Amino acid sequence: MKKLICGFAALLLSSTLVTAQTRIGITGGLQLINQPYQTPYHTFTGSDMTGFQAGLVSDTRLSTHWSIRSQLLYACKGGQYTLATQATIGPVVERIKRINYLDVPVQLVYGLKIGPGQATLGAGPYVGYALSMKDKVLIDGQGGFLDTEFGSESYQQKRLDYGLRVSVGYELPSGPGISLFYEPGFANINNDRLYKSKNTAYGLSLHYLLKAKDRVRSE
């Protein structure tokens, strides 16, 4: 699956390089991440943690206003929540989970010229593949990391994640841009269907797109 996602991302990025209306660049930003944990008896929403994402971006112009924007991102996701909050009843149990993904969002973007640049609005799916994970449990403030694994067993986690990415931003013809984004995950990354965890992320990203003519000239 990892090879499939990497191959798909490479195809998206490399195939657009032959298009004169394609610009490539780099992107990165901070995001607030959460991973609500739902059991048959209760849903633990937890609180947001800080994560990040960084990688490559390509933008292929389809018309005056429309383009396809694909990205290949290293993204940190996860969540934290408290399983018990009343110390008089029992210990306070906290769980903190961080999962590093290789994410591939592909968006249809609409651009409207405003001032020297253009405002953008984008939406499209993303697919992610988990590369590594840190799963920590604290009991009354003390504890350590769990030996959680990826796999298909009920006690293991799925590597595959997918969902939607929507964004709104502003960018200049010279290359720099900024955007706000929201990524609700649709995949339950738990194998046990009675227990559900889905990734959620939202944040601010910056990008810089090289001019198409500069790219051609450098080749």
Side-chain angles (χ1 to χ4, degrees):
M1 180 62 69
K2 180 181 178 180
K3 292 182 179 179
L4 179 62
I5 293 177
C6 288
F8 176 68
L11 179 63
L12 280 174
L13 292 173
S14 61
S15 63
T16 58
L17 296 182
V18 300
T19 306
Q21 296 300 316
T22 294
R23 303 173 68 183
I24 60 174
I26 57 175
T27 181
L30 294 177
Q31 58 188 13
L32 294 177
I33 55 178
N34 206 335
Q35 195 181 91
Y37 181 58
Q38 182 179 347
T39 73
Y41 315 103
H42 188 71
T43 298
F44 301 92
T45 56
S47 56
D48 292 338
M49 297 193 305
T50 301
F52 71 93
Q53 58 177 226
L56 303 175
V57 57
S58 71
D59 187 85
T60 301
R61 180 73 58 185
L62 300 178
S63 66
T64 303
H65 296 290
W66 295 96
S67 67
I68 295 291
R69 184 162 299 181
S70 56
Q71 300 178 71
L72 178 61
L73 302 173
Y74 182 87
C76 176
K77 298 182 181 180
Q80 60 182 357
Y81 45 84
T82 302
L83 299 178
T85 58
Q86 300 183 35
T88 56
I89 298 178
V92 177
V93 181
E94 298 174 276
R95 189 173 186 180
I96 304 171
K97 186 187 297 183
R98 289 187 178 273
I99 308 177
N100 298 314
Y101 284 91
L102 182 66
D103 272 4
V104 183
V106 180
Q107 293 180 283
L108 179 64
V109 176
Y110 180 82
L112 180 64
K113 183 172 176 55
I114 298 178
Q118 68 170 358
T120 59
L121 178 64
Y126 79 83
V127 177
Y129 183 85
L131 302 174
S132 62
M133 172 173 53
K134 290 185 177 181
D135 194 359
K136 189 175 184 179
V137 170
L138 300 176
I139 301 177
D140 288 337
Q142 298 183 347
F145 292 99
L146 296 179
D147 189 21
T148 307
E149 300 176 346
F150 295 109
S152 58
E153 299 296 332
S154 60
Y155 59 87
Q156 295 176 322
Q157 296 254 236
K158 298 176 183 177
R159 287 187 183 271
L160 183 64
D161 183 33
Y162 55 86
L164 176 70
R165 182 183 178 100
V166 294
S167 62
V168 59
Y170 189 82
E171 56 193 30
L172 298 173
S174 56
I178 186 171
S179 66
L180 296 171
F181 64 89
Y182 173 57
E183 280 188 357
F186 297 157
N188 177 19
I189 63 174
N190 289 326
N191 288 307
D192 190 336
R193 296 182 180 180
L194 295 178
Y195 299 88
K196 298 180 180 180
S197 293
K198 297 182 180 181
N199 286 307
T200 299
Y202 59 96
L204 176 71
S205 67
L206 303 174
H207 66 260
Y208 185 85
L209 292 169
L210 297 174
K211 292 182 180 180
K213 62 180 181 180
D214 289 344
R215 178 179 59 79
V216 173
R217 186 178 300 154
S218 65
E219 294 173 351

